[in-house]
Amino acid sequence: MKLKKCAAALLVSSCLLTGCSSSAKKVDSKYVVASLSKGSKTKNIFADDLYKDVLDSSSNNSTVFNAVLQNLIDKKFPVNEDMEEDADTIISQVKSYYKKQYGDNYKSTLNQQLKSAGYTNMKQYREKMIKQIQYANFLLDYIDDNFDDVFNDYYQQCSPKYVSLIKISVSDTSSLTDDENSKISEVKELINNTDKSFGDIAQDYSDDSTKKKGSVGIVDTKDTAGISDSYGKDVFNAIKSLNEGQVSDAIAGTDGYYFVKVTSTNKKELKKELKKTDIDSPLLAYDDYLQYVVFDSYKVTYKDKSIKKIVQDVVKNALDERKSGRGEA
């Protein structure tokens, strides 16, 4: 599966998978720890695919689970040319960003940032990106096969809505100039007292040029769109409080004042758009327990009882926490 969009989600997403280790030792060559099947296909997971230090550290149950999960993903979604290409695209975007920000000496700053994030070099970072792409494919495959159930759960849990905004850039949100105050007042007057659409006002007045006519797309209560990071927590909180058709007053946010409007909460429209599932879909990020739901959808036959108990306990506890967090029995 070729990921349609790479940069935004992958650069900020967290990956819960255990990375490969070149120093890993074989436990028992070709000994089958587990086998997985889905449909007519079956794959074996061998002990020599796992890490000796993981197997010897049964107290760290999540590490054991992550190792088994990674091996499942490696078998089901092996690295291919599309994943390699997506990873290269991400690396290229990262380098371009740093070069734009720091000029010809960007490499030293980038290397410093890589080390502070725990990476020895860009090659290691690229390897992690590939694992994240594999992980995304793992989730996407399940979402595609179970779209109605996943979407309905997302809609119920996260109250998604279409949102547009108008940004008025200011130099200091705590001390507005006369011109800045004047522009905010002019936009407010247009919103409240003219027949001009919010989108047309955004097109003419907004200083946020990322989307046509002010549209920021789908926003949900999980903030999978990153509204808080991009525009400020107060902007996000205002969006959550608005109903369809409502417009906020001017809100002080990141680098400016914002007017936000909930343009639609239509379930059919949202479902139709999200049906085109890709790496930017909020369906990948709305549920912190989705990886356990997906893992549990595979039929896994264990040959090692200790591994079986550890993994099944981790999955059961996670799914129980999911139910508890939702107030389910």
Side-chain angles (χ1 to χ4, degrees), residues 4 9 12 16 44 81 83 90 94 96-97 106-107 118 120 129-130 140 177 196 203 205 255 259 265 290 308 324:
K4 297 176 183 178
V12 300
L16 302 178
N44 289 324
E81 289 184 4
M83 295 180 188
I90 294 169
V94 169
S96 295
Y97 170 81
Y106 77 95
K107 288 184 179 180
T120 304
M129 291 302 101
I130 290 175
L140 285 169
T177 66
K196 195 170 185 178
Q203 187 75 15
Y205 287 87
D255 298 330
F259 296 90
T265 58
L290 184 58
K308 176 181 179 178
S324 176

Side-chain angles (χ1 to χ4, degrees), residues 64-92:
V64 175
F65 168 77
N66 288 335
V68 174
L69 173 61
Q70 180 62 59
N71 276 274
L72 185 158
I73 292 172
D74 286 339
K75 300 296 184 182
K76 186 68 177 176
F77 304 97
V79 178
N80 56 33
E81 289 184 4
D82 286 339
M83 295 180 188
E84 298 274 4
E85 181 181 333
D86 285 335
D88 288 337
T89 299
I90 294 169
I91 298 304
S92 177

Side-chain angles (χ1 to χ4, degrees), residues 93-111:
Q93 290 171 339
V94 169
K95 289 181 177 179
S96 295
Y97 170 81
Y98 273 86
K99 187 171 184 179
K100 182 178 180 180
Q101 294 294 317
Y102 301 101
D104 293 337
N105 296 323
Y106 77 95
K107 288 184 179 180
S108 60
T109 303
L110 176 55
N111 288 334

Side-chain angles (χ1 to χ4, degrees), residues 5-25:
K5 299 179 182 179
C6 297
L10 284 173
L11 291 177
V12 300
S13 64
S14 62
C15 182
L16 302 178
L17 309 180
T18 302
C20 291
S21 171
S22 60
S23 60
K25 297 180 180 179

Side-chain angles (χ1 to χ4, degrees), residues 217-229:
I218 297 172
V219 178
D220 54 52
T221 55
K222 182 75 174 181
D223 199 15
T224 56
I227 296 297
S228 296
D229 291 335

Side-chain angles (χ1 to χ4, degrees), residues 21-271:
S21 171
S22 60
S23 60
K25 297 180 180 179
K26 290 185 178 180
V27 176
D28 187 5
S29 181
K30 299 302 179 184
Y31 177 77
V32 178
V33 172
S35 61
L36 62 99
S37 60
K38 196 169 188 179
S40 60
K41 297 183 178 180
T42 301
K43 292 286 186 180
N44 289 324
I45 299 175
F46 298 103
D48 58 349
D49 290 327
L50 300 175
Y51 320 125
K52 188 176 185 303
D53 58 336
V54 170
L55 294 173
D56 289 343
S57 180
S58 59
S59 62
N60 193 346
N61 292 356
S62 63
T63 305
V64 175
F65 168 77
N66 288 335
V68 174
L69 173 61
Q70 180 62 59
N71 276 274
L72 185 158
I73 292 172
D74 286 339
K75 300 296 184 182
K76 186 68 177 176
F77 304 97
V79 178
N80 56 33
E81 289 184 4
D82 286 339
M83 295 180 188
E84 298 274 4
E85 181 181 333
D86 285 335
D88 288 337
T89 299
I90 294 169
I91 298 304
S92 177
Q93 290 171 339
V94 169
K95 289 181 177 179
S96 295
Y97 170 81
Y98 273 86
K99 187 171 184 179
K100 182 178 180 180
Q101 294 294 317
Y102 301 101
D104 293 337
N105 296 323
Y106 77 95
K107 288 184 179 180
S108 60
T109 303
L110 176 55
N111 288 334
Q112 183 179 358
Q113 290 297 320
L114 286 170
K115 289 179 180 178
S116 66
Y119 299 101
T120 304
N121 49 43
M122 185 60 78
K123 181 180 178 180
Q124 192 180 67
Y125 180 79
R126 181 180 181 275
E127 291 172 355
K128 186 63 172 288
M129 291 302 101
I130 290 175
K131 287 193 178 298
Q132 288 186 279
I133 294 168
Q134 285 182 284
Y135 182 68
N137 275 283
F138 167 70
L139 298 182
L140 285 169
D141 184 68
Y142 177 86
I143 293 171
D144 286 343
D145 289 345
N146 302 272
F147 178 76
D148 287 346
D149 289 341
V150 175
F151 172 79
N152 288 333
D153 183 63
Y154 167 69
Y155 188 83
Q156 180 180 359
Q157 297 296 324
C158 297
S159 303
K161 53 187 75 172
Y162 286 103
V163 173
S164 295
L165 62 78
I166 298 170
K167 175 184 179 181
I168 310 300
S169 293
V170 299
S171 55
D172 184 353
T173 56
S174 63
S175 179
L176 303 181
T177 66
D178 290 341
D179 287 344
E180 291 166 350
N181 261 318
S182 177
K183 186 174 181 180
I184 291 172
S185 297
E186 183 178 358
V187 169
K188 186 174 182 178
E189 178 69 19
L190 287 170
I191 291 172
N192 293 331
N193 298 305
T194 70
D195 293 330
K196 195 170 185 178
S197 72
F198 189 91
D200 287 340
I201 298 171
Q203 187 75 15
D204 294 340
Y205 287 87
S206 182
D207 295 317
D208 179 54
S209 59
T210 57
K211 298 287 184 181
K212 185 178 180 180
K213 292 194 172 183
S215 173
V216 294
I218 297 172
V219 178
D220 54 52
T221 55
K222 182 75 174 181
D223 199 15
T224 56
I227 296 297
S228 296
D229 291 335
S230 298
Y231 304 110
K233 189 70 174 179
D234 288 341
V235 174
F236 174 60
N237 288 336
I239 292 171
K240 288 198 297 181
S241 69
L242 294 173
N243 295 318
E244 182 173 342
Q246 291 184 325
V247 181
S248 74
D249 200 350
I251 308 163
T254 305
D255 298 330
Y257 272 74
Y258 298 85
F259 296 90
V260 295
K261 179 178 182 178
V262 174
T263 57
S264 176
T265 58
N266 186 280
K267 186 175 181 180
K268 288 184 178 179
E269 292 178 4
L270 289 160
K271 186 174 183 179

